[in-house]
Amino acid sequence: MIQRIMSDLLPLLDGAVERGDLLVSSRENISALLAGSNSPVAEAVVTELAESGEWAELNDRFFKTLVFGTGGLRGRTVGRVVTVAEEGEGGPLGRPEHPCVGTASMNFYNVGRAIRGMVAYVKKYLASQGIERKPSFAFAEDTRHYSRDFAEFCAKVCVELGCDAYLFEDARATPQLSFLIRELRLDAGVVLTASHNPAQDNGFKAYFNEGAQLVEPHASGVLDEFQDITEEAYEALPVSEQGTLTVLGAEADRRYMDKLKTLLLRPDLLENGGAKVVFTNIHGTGGHISVPILRELGFEVLTVAEQDGGDGRFPTVASPNPENAPALAMAMELAEKENAEIVIGTDPDCDRMGVAVRNDAGEMQLLTGNQIGSLMAWYRTKTMFDLGILNDSNRGHAALIKTFVTTELQTAIAEKFGVNMVDTLTGFKFISDKLMKYEQGIPADKYEGDYRDLSEEVTRKLRLEYSRFFIFGGEESYGYLGADFVRDKDGNMAAVMFAEVAAYAKSQGMTIAGLLDAIYKEFGFYLEQGKSMVMEGAEGAAQIKALNDSYSNTPPTEVDGVAVSRVRDFAKEQFEDSEGDTIPNAGMLLVELEDGRSFAVRPSGTEPKIKFYLFGKDEPSDDLEASKQKVRDGLDSLWAGLESDAQARMA
């Protein structure tokens, strides 16, 4: 209880609030955590920070409580200020012994409440469905600090609360957990990961029984249960009522890899061997599946030895994010040395994939997430028509899916082939929600057994005849999916699909960069730029909210000297997608200019930043280089105008 707080701590906290050093919300959250925690470390940490006058650190740790965003729960596990109590005897790879104390941090207090909230919700859900059995959960983790500790802890809590738990023997990719949930018909799952965030962060990414991240009504249900739990301690059930723990290894990997191979549309392209590839998992999980499967498909795969092992410090990069060129620098150096044709990099939990390719000039060229996705969307759509899978009679039942902030080149591709384009909000769970809709749209009497047991060929025919067939989906932030047996973006799947694109380009006597230029010549040149403003901690969160509110309350009427032709405010207005489904409200503004340029602005759901997405395009031109320069100059000018406007709004 609150009486446990040291008597000399309360006056310190109250005095800081009176002086304006400590936020009222921080004071309230400190009290709540100390009242509910059963760890002596928590009180020692708060006392140490307060007595040292580290009020900014306390505000950053306690200004809010964690909530489920686009990537589940995320927060720091290592504070900017590491206390003596947290450092303890130290931990692996130089981390503190104990994770960061705070209601806005990832620690056992929050992780324990989160998994207990999920258990409580799943039990109620099963009861509401008339299902009488033990709930079942799967757990996976990446290579971050505390990931394994959190995963083992979650599995232990589940078992002690009467659930069966499945835990991988070591770090695994996020999408493999999605596959496992669907394959084993589990009720829920969690990946302990912060994806591509900095090394000090970790997260709790929650999945439900379809293998997709939580969507409504499950997201709110789990959040309510999570917030209702205030005590860290819990009472384990009698041993006879507890669940069992199953540890998974090579056999589960093999089943996943075999399913990934069904993605190939033209295996014949690989009969004479594939390209030379340099792969890096940037100290994460990607090499466990992507490297062996690419080798099995005939590719010569080299890896960056310094980045092969799992290491939560990510010591060779400033950020383990394949969106950022420096993260692929070592792989590109190896590619130059070994004359490799492709560089593939995945983030720590292998749900994102970045690529560099050798262009017509013989130089390694980085591709953006929009370019990578467009190549795969074009190739897979075109090839399905070439193979007769898609045709004039069924194209109306086929769809590409992307997020609103992903390139409109993919919309142009869909229009050219006469298939549907569906736009969703940012967050792959919205794409996965569409896949569930398509699966459920097939009449139950049209097939026998469980949909998940059917082959890709059979489910494709069913969807094309009775529902909608998902060709490909993705988002600009380097996340892609090419089949519905996984319900989240999949870096392993992306590696297989992109390898086939590379084989196709080679069969046509083209480089991948040359193939991309050929697409531009047909559809016109499209270019996108992603920009962001990072604002960390309690003060930063307030700045992000104020700036986002400013755009919503007073949207621009002119940017870069060009009049605004249309504004879509997803927070205030109600929109429907191309299938007539209502789009949930979200803090995003889409702004179109009269000259064809456009931009979007939204706060990140996983990082302390506000994001800007800039879009430019030009009609097909015989002079592609001039077209590229024209669009680049236009986006550079647009950003200069937006950056100036944002600074003025914040001032």
Side-chain angles (χ1 to χ4, degrees):
M1 298 300 293
I2 194 70
Q3 286 78 12
R4 292 170 45 213
I5 302 176
M6 295 172 57
S7 59
D8 56 350
L9 177 58
L10 284 170
L12 274 176
L13 299 177
D14 292 337
V17 172
E18 291 176 6
R19 294 191 307 273
D21 292 333
L22 186 67
L23 296 172
V24 172
S25 63
S26 297
R27 172 68 172 82
E28 293 172 347
N29 289 332
I30 289 171
S31 296
L33 184 142
L34 293 180
S37 175
N38 60 5
S39 168
V41 174
E43 185 176 315
V45 168
V46 174
T47 301
E48 184 178 335
L49 291 172
E51 290 179 345
S52 302
E54 295 285 358
W55 304 115
E57 179 71 8
L58 280 168
N59 279 329
D60 286 351
R61 293 176 179 223
F62 288 96
F63 76 98
K64 67 175 183 178
T65 57
L66 290 184
V67 296
F68 286 88
T70 55
L73 302 177
R74 287 198 191 173
R76 295 181 74 103
T77 56
V78 181
R80 291 182 184 82
V81 177
V82 178
T83 65
V84 172
E86 287 165 329
E87 183 60 36
E89 298 181 3
L93 301 176
R95 71 165 214 211
E97 180 181 1
H98 305 287
C100 181
V101 171
T103 54
S105 307
M106 279 292 295
N107 45 51
F108 289 103
Y109 172 78
N110 278 328
V111 171
R113 291 168 56 236
I115 189 57
R116 285 161 58 204
M118 282 194 73
V119 168
Y121 178 76
V122 170
K123 285 184 175 181
K124 290 180 179 178
Y125 174 78
L126 292 179
S128 72
Q129 302 298 305
I131 300 173
E132 298 181 2
R133 59 167 172 76
K134 290 177 180 177
S136 54
F137 283 74
F139 298 96
E141 85 275 357
D142 66 7
T143 58
R144 290 177 174 274
H145 295 316
Y146 306 101
S147 285
R148 185 65 184 179
D149 307 76
F150 289 153
E152 291 178 342
F153 175 66
C154 285
K156 173 180 176 289
V157 171
C158 269
V159 168
E160 291 182 343
L161 293 180
C163 304
D164 293 330
Y166 295 80
L167 175 67
F168 285 104
E169 63 185 2
D170 201 352
R172 291 294 191 277
T174 286
Q176 189 170 353
L177 178 112
S178 172
F179 175 78
L180 184 74
I181 290 172
R182 292 185 60 77
E183 180 195 35
L184 300 185
R185 280 71 169 171
L186 305 181
D187 296 309
V190 175
V191 185
L192 285 305
T193 178
S195 192
H196 58 290
N197 278 34
Q200 69 268 11
D201 291 351
N202 212 320
F204 181 100
K205 191 180 288 188
Y207 292 78
F208 211 60
N209 57 12
E210 291 292 332
Q213 289 188 60
L214 294 178
V215 293
E216 297 301 343
H218 309 306
S220 293
V222 171
L223 180 59
D224 289 344
E225 296 288 347
F226 167 61
Q227 292 178 331
D228 283 345
I229 298 172
T230 59
E231 296 285 335
E232 186 172 4
Y234 66 93
E235 185 174 346
L237 294 174
V239 174
S240 61
E241 298 176 25
Q242 292 183 11
T244 59
L245 174 64
T246 302
V247 178
L248 302 170
E251 290 184 4
D253 294 339
R254 184 71 262 169
R255 295 194 301 271
Y256 174 52
M257 291 172 66
D258 288 344
K259 196 69 172 179
L260 289 175
K261 288 184 177 180
T262 66
L263 287 160
L264 293 176
L265 297 173
R266 288 191 56 191
D268 60 292
L269 292 173
L270 303 176
E271 289 176 355
N272 296 320
K276 182 184 284 190
V277 177
V278 170
F279 182 90
T280 175
N281 57 196
I282 317 178
H283 306 288
T285 62
H288 190 79
I289 296 293
S290 285
V291 170
I293 197 170
L294 287 174
R295 285 172 175 162
E296 287 180 16
L297 292 176
F299 289 84
E300 180 183 354
V301 183
L302 308 173
T303 64
V304 181
E306 300 90 335
Q307 297 177 329
D308 278 347
D311 190 332
R313 298 169 299 176
F314 311 121
T316 64
V317 294
S319 168
N321 186 351
E323 298 180 39
N324 302 329
L328 299 182
M330 294 180 72
M332 292 176 70
E333 289 175 9
L334 182 59
E336 292 287 11
K337 177 183 176 182
E338 299 291 340
N339 197 34
E341 298 162 66
I342 308 170
V343 165
I344 295 177
T346 54
D347 66 342
D349 70 325
C350 194
D351 63 353
R352 286 175 166 83
M353 179 194 74
V355 166
V357 298
R358 196 168 295 283
N359 61 23
D360 291 347
E363 302 166 338
M364 295 305 294
Q365 174 184 329
L366 281 165
L367 300 184
T368 69
N370 283 306
Q371 291 169 331
I372 297 166
S374 296
L375 280 163
M376 291 190 285
W378 175 85
Y379 171 76
R380 294 188 73 79
T381 307
K382 171 192 177 298
T383 303
M384 286 183 186
F385 275 100
D386 290 345
L387 296 174
I389 295 170
L390 297 179
N391 52 54
D392 290 342
S393 66
N394 66 19
R395 70 176 77 211
H397 285 260
L400 293 168
I401 308 178
K402 70 177 187 67
T403 61
F404 282 103
V405 294
T406 298
T407 178
E408 285 298 296
L409 173 56
Q410 292 174 26
T411 302
I413 290 169
E415 291 174 349
K416 168 68 182 300
F417 286 102
V419 300
N420 299 283
M421 170 55 74
V422 183
D423 283 292
T424 73
L425 293 175
T426 300
F428 228 87
K429 59 188 177 184
F430 296 110
I431 295 177
S432 300
D433 205 33
K434 287 291 185 182
L435 304 189
M436 182 172 66
K437 172 189 170 183
Y438 299 161
E439 176 185 337
Q440 294 176 345
I442 304 170
D445 61 351
K446 299 304 179 183
Y447 62 93
E448 295 182 358
D450 191 322
Y451 178 89
R452 303 181 195 193
D453 291 328
L454 304 177
S455 69
E456 286 302 293
E457 181 180 3
V458 170
T459 65
R460 182 171 61 222
K461 288 180 178 178
L462 287 168
R463 284 174 285 165
L464 281 171
E465 184 171 358
Y466 301 108
S467 183
R468 277 207 167 173
F469 169 63
F470 169 68
I471 302 171
F472 175 83
E475 53 189 7
E476 44 70 44
S477 53
Y478 297 71
Y480 319 102
L481 190 66
D484 72 346
F485 58 79
V486 170
R487 296 292 170 93
D488 203 353
K489 52 186 176 287
D490 189 340
N492 295 310
M493 187 182 291
V496 171
M497 291 189 294
F498 194 81
E500 185 175 357
V501 174
Y504 169 78
K506 191 173 184 177
S507 75
Q508 301 299 303
M510 305 171 72
T511 64
I512 296 173
L515 176 60
L516 181 61
D517 280 347
I519 292 172
Y520 286 145
K521 289 175 181 177
E522 179 178 358
F523 294 93
F525 181 65
Y526 288 73
L527 183 66
E528 301 75 31
Q529 290 182 5
K531 304 289 186 178
S532 61
M533 294 181 176
V534 178
M535 306 173 203
E536 296 186 306
E539 183 179 353
Q543 290 175 324
I544 289 171
K545 183 179 185 306
L547 182 55
N548 199 59
D549 288 347
S550 171
Y551 282 114
S552 182
N553 295 331
T554 56
T557 57
E558 180 182 293
V559 181
D560 192 28
V562 179
V564 169
S565 60
R566 185 187 184 193
V567 175
R568 283 178 282 173
D569 187 341
F570 286 77
K572 294 181 176 179
E573 301 173 72
Q574 197 70 71
F575 297 99
E576 292 184 348
D577 64 25
S578 61
E579 296 180 337
D581 293 331
T582 300
I583 297 167
N585 289 112
M588 179 173 70
L589 204 73
L590 285 179
V591 180
E592 299 173 20
L593 306 185
E594 287 188 347
D595 64 0
R597 292 178 296 171
S598 60
F599 70 91
V601 58
R602 56 175 285 271
S604 171
T606 58
E607 297 174 277
K609 62 176 64 172
I610 190 163
K611 292 185 171 184
F612 296 83
Y613 306 81
L614 284 60
F615 305 90
K617 61 183 179 181
D618 196 21
E619 297 301 316
S621 170
D622 292 333
D623 191 344
L624 182 57
E625 291 308 311
S627 186
K628 289 181 178 181
Q629 192 61 51
K630 172 186 172 183
V631 176
R632 287 194 194 99
D633 290 345
L635 291 190
D636 288 343
S637 183
L638 177 58
W639 175 239
L642 283 173
E643 192 172 27
S644 176
D645 178 67
Q647 295 294 344
R649 288 171 183 270
M650 288 191 292

